[in-house]
């Protein structure tokens, strides 16, 4: 088993980042102009990184598979972004944000990384205000904050229910400024299909032009992957349908280790599934739990009448309602972390108290806050979210409670990176949701936007210089090198192999089968028997896919089915590794809930003696089992305790 060097600096926690910045190498402005960097992905992490690196003087090539950088999935984030400004004067601090994040992740993340994230969070807000992001404001002009799950203070900055959109527009403007200045070459509708390694270092990528179908080569001195997470392995999730894990997965197959793949987040406030033809789930912001109360009937017979449509929620008196989060977690109430709220909803529904026809929903009720604050206040806070809910369900949430149920949302696992955000391949960096680094086993709400912008604006621009300072005499990468030739050949052969199957079933037939296996056995609760079965079933469906998938259209042309086929082929491999990782981690922690490891009151039960580590999986080849390595987590500032929100 290899020993991983996470490069976390020595010294007091609060001084690690500042000490590290003074110790690492710096590239002079004149030398930055000699260096090229590739950035894959233009969400908050990728756009902010590309803009910042170009502003510093590097030559940047940015890539996205969408037709515009502003269509990255970060745009879908609703509720807010965390920072420890303490504008509410409610005793928030960098240290409190650090503690909440470590605890929220169920003590499965690095102290050094999480403290740095909390430390730079305040800079992010200043940066975004300077860009013109229209954050909500209090009457006196101060930026407003609201509460989010897993915290007893209000530290979430927001722009109504469209915070991700506004933050991405800010980063997009910064990106466009550098494109106009000639510092960034922007390649839209280009999908990364491989990373090119020369002499052990990342030197470029292979892409497919999604409009022409042409395979292209791009070289650089370093490659940054900011391609998001792999939640769409479940088929149904809150992610955009194009979101995928393929870029990170190709890095894994070239030697970048993959960490904690079993750590995926279930979001508790999603619109429930309707029918078996649905292709995507819609997220309702966690911010709604500030003013909405979650409940189900106390009586199963009443719940049965609701499911049959014999009565409505308005027919149930307050005394007959079970506000189960407030009952079980009096300190945090409806604002417990996402994994806790999700499991509690599942438990109530599994016990027979679900309120929709399928018994897979609970109520999120604004009746009480409307009576207390007035409809106009709720409309000002959440109007666009209420409008979205009504358009999808044809139910007016001002008059009736919303129905919600947990759904797959975010990937805490991802490419392993050190403190500098570099993978196990020199010169290959991974930022934002694509890496594993900051959230442990569960991400607190409003921390995804925080991490993406922290990595892109305030971490990577410093740390990448430590590597590039040794590359300034290296000439521009020759894309005619044999390594590029081999990588392009491998990509082309894979596309040809997919087309030559000429089977009978479309890609979605196999994709849905994979998603159902993942949800049934690697979803909200897991056990050894189910995970073992999942690995077997995934292998069987993957084998069927490679024998019987039918891809229409042409390989050298616009072809969405081909795009999807390549991504689904990767999802089979990702899904198998997720199940393998979940089987290995015989404990419950955060979003990873093993039926064999439960406390007396039904909560996740960690095993700190045996599992206080980051799992790091190394690719060993097609058809071969990956090797497991471990990065031991060291806690010097936090005491490991059983997580409690009661």
């Amino acid at each position: 088993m290899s020993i991983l060097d996470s490069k976390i600096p020595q010294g007091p926690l609060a001084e690690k980042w500042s000490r590290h910045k003074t110790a690492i190498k710096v590239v002079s402005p004149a030398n930055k102009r000699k260096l090229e960097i590739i950035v894959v992905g233009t969400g908050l992490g990728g756009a902010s990184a590309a803009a910042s690196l170009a502003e510093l003087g590097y030559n940047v090539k940015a890539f996205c598979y969408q037709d515009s950088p502003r269509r990255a999935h970060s745009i879908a984030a609703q509720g807010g972004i965390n920072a420890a400004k303490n504008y509410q004067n409610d005793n928030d601090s960098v240290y409190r944000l650090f503690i909440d994040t470590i605890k929220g992740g169920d003590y499965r993340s690095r102290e050094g990384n999480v403290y740095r994230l909390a430390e730079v969070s305040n800079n992010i807000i200043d940066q975004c205000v300077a860009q013109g992001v229209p954050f909500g404001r209090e009457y006196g002009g101060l930026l407003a904050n609201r509460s989010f799950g897993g915290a007893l203070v209000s530290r979430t900055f927001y722009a109504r229910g469209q915070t991700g959109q506004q933050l991405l527009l800010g980063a997009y403007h910064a990106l466009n400024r550098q494109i106009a200045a000639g510092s960034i070459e922007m390649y839209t509708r280009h999908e990364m299909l491989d990373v090119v390694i020369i002499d052990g270092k990342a030197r470029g990528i292979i892409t497919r032009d999604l409009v022409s179908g042409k395979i292209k080569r791009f070289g650089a001195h370093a490659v940054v992957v900011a391609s998001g997470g792999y939640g769409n392995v479940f088929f149904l999730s809150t992610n955009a349908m194009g979101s995928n894990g393929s870029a990170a997965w190709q890095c894994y197959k070239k030697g970048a280790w993959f960490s904690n793949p079993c750590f995926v987040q279930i979001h508790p406030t999603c619109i429930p599934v309707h029918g078996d033809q649905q292709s995507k789930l819609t997220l309702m912001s966690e911010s709604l739990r500030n003013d909405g109360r979650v409940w189900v009937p106390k009586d199963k017979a009443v719940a049965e009448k609701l499911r049959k449509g014999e009565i409505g929620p308005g027919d149930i008196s307050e005394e007959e309602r079970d506000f189960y989060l407030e009952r079980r977690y009096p300190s945090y109430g409806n604002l417990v972390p996402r994994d806790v709220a999700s499991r509690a909803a599942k438990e109530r529904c599994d016990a027979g108290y679900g309120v929709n026809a399928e018994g897979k929903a609970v109520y999120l009720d604004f009746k009480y806050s409307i009576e207390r604050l007035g409809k106009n206040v709720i409309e000002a806070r959440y109007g666009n979210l209420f409008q979205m809910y009504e358009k999808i369900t044809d139910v007016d949430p001002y008059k009736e409670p919303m129905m919600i149920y947990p759904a797959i949302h975010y990937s805490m696992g991802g490419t392993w990176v050190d403190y500098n955000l570099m993978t196990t391949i020199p010169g290959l960096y991974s930022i934002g949701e694509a890496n594993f680094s900051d959230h442990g086993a569960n991400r607190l709400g409003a921390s995804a936007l925080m991490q993406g912008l922290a990595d892109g604006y305030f971490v990577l621009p410093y740390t990448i210089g430590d590597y590039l300072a040794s590359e300034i005499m290296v000439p521009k990468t020759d894309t005619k090198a044999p390594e590029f030739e081999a990588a392009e050949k491998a990509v082309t052969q894979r596309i040809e192999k997919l087309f030559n199957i000429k089977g009978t079933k479309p890609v979605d037939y196999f994709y849905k089968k994979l998603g159902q296996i993942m949800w049934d056995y690697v979803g909200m609760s897991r056990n050894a028997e189910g995970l073992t079965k999942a690995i077997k079933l995934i292998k069987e469906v993957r084998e069927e896919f490679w024998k019987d998938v039918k891809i229409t259209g042409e390989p050298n042309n616009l072809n969405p089915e081909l795009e999807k086929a390549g991504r689904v082929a990767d999802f089979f491999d990702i899904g198998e590794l997720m199940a393998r990782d979940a089987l290995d981690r015989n404990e419950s922690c955060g979003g990873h809930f093993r039926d064999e490891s439960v406390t007396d009151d039904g909560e996740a039960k960690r095993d700190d003696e045996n599992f206080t580590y980051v799992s790091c999986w190394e690719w060993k080849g097609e058809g071969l089992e990956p090797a497991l390595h471990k990065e031991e987590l060291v806690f010097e500032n936090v005491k490991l305790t059983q997580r409690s929100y009661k």
Side-chain angles (χ1 to χ4, degrees), residues 216-265:
K216 299 180 181 179
R217 309 174 185 183
F218 296 92
H221 293 88
V223 176
V224 179
V225 173
S227 54
Y230 49 88
N232 270 353
V233 69
F234 289 85
F235 185 73
L236 283 178
S237 82
T238 66
N239 290 279
M241 290 175 66
S243 296
N244 64 88
S246 288
W249 195 249
Q250 300 316 314
C251 296
Y252 167 68
K253 292 172 78 171
K254 281 295 183 72
W257 294 0
F258 210 87
S259 286
N260 297 339
C262 77
F263 288 167
V264 290
Q265 181 166 81

Side-chain angles (χ1 to χ4, degrees), residues 232-236 241 243 506-516 541 545 564 568 571-572:
N232 270 353
V233 69
F234 289 85
F235 185 73
L236 283 178
M241 290 175 66
S243 296
V507 176
D508 273 351
Y509 169 82
F510 301 100
Y511 191 9
K512 288 180 179 180
K513 287 181 78 168
L514 171 64
Q516 196 63 54
V541 179
F545 170 88
K564 192 192 300 180
V568 171
F571 277 142
F572 282 116

Side-chain angles (χ1 to χ4, degrees), residues 361-373:
V362 299
Y363 286 128
L364 180 62
D365 198 341
F366 291 85
K367 169 180 178 290
Y368 305 95
S369 56
I370 290 173
E371 290 174 352
R372 177 169 52 90
L373 300 168

Side-chain angles (χ1 to χ4, degrees), residues 136-157:
R137 292 181 181 267
E138 302 289 2
Y139 178 75
L142 204 63
L143 296 185
N145 288 127
R146 55 188 174 202
S147 299
F148 255 62
L152 293 175
V153 296
S154 296
R155 64 162 68 99
T156 303
F157 295 77

Side-chain angles (χ1 to χ4, degrees), residues 28-92:
S28 75
N31 284 329
K32 286 187 176 81
R33 293 194 292 271
K34 302 175 184 177
L35 297 167
E36 295 184 321
I37 302 172
I38 284 172
V39 179
V40 180
T42 57
L44 287 181
S48 60
S52 299
L53 293 169
E55 181 83 39
L56 287 170
Y58 295 107
N59 300 291
V60 177
K61 299 185 184 82
F63 297 81
C64 68
Y65 68 78
Q66 299 94 341
D67 57 2
S68 167
R70 64 175 290 181
R71 291 191 182 276
H73 187 57
S74 298
I75 206 166
Q78 299 169 351
I81 177 171
N82 289 330
K85 286 285 195 181
N86 194 34
Y87 283 165
Q88 304 295 311
N89 203 28
D90 56 0
N91 199 20
D92 198 10

Side-chain angles (χ1 to χ4, degrees), residues 193-198 204-207 215-218 250 254 479 481-495:
L193 296 182
D194 206 355
V195 60
V196 180
I197 311 298
I198 299 178
I205 62 172
I206 304 294
T207 70
I215 305 301
K216 299 180 181 179
R217 309 174 185 183
F218 296 92
Q250 300 316 314
K254 281 295 183 72
T479 56
E483 291 85 353
F484 276 90
E485 187 75 34
E488 182 179 330
K489 184 178 179 181
V491 164
T492 304
Q493 286 176 341
R494 189 181 195 230
I495 291 172

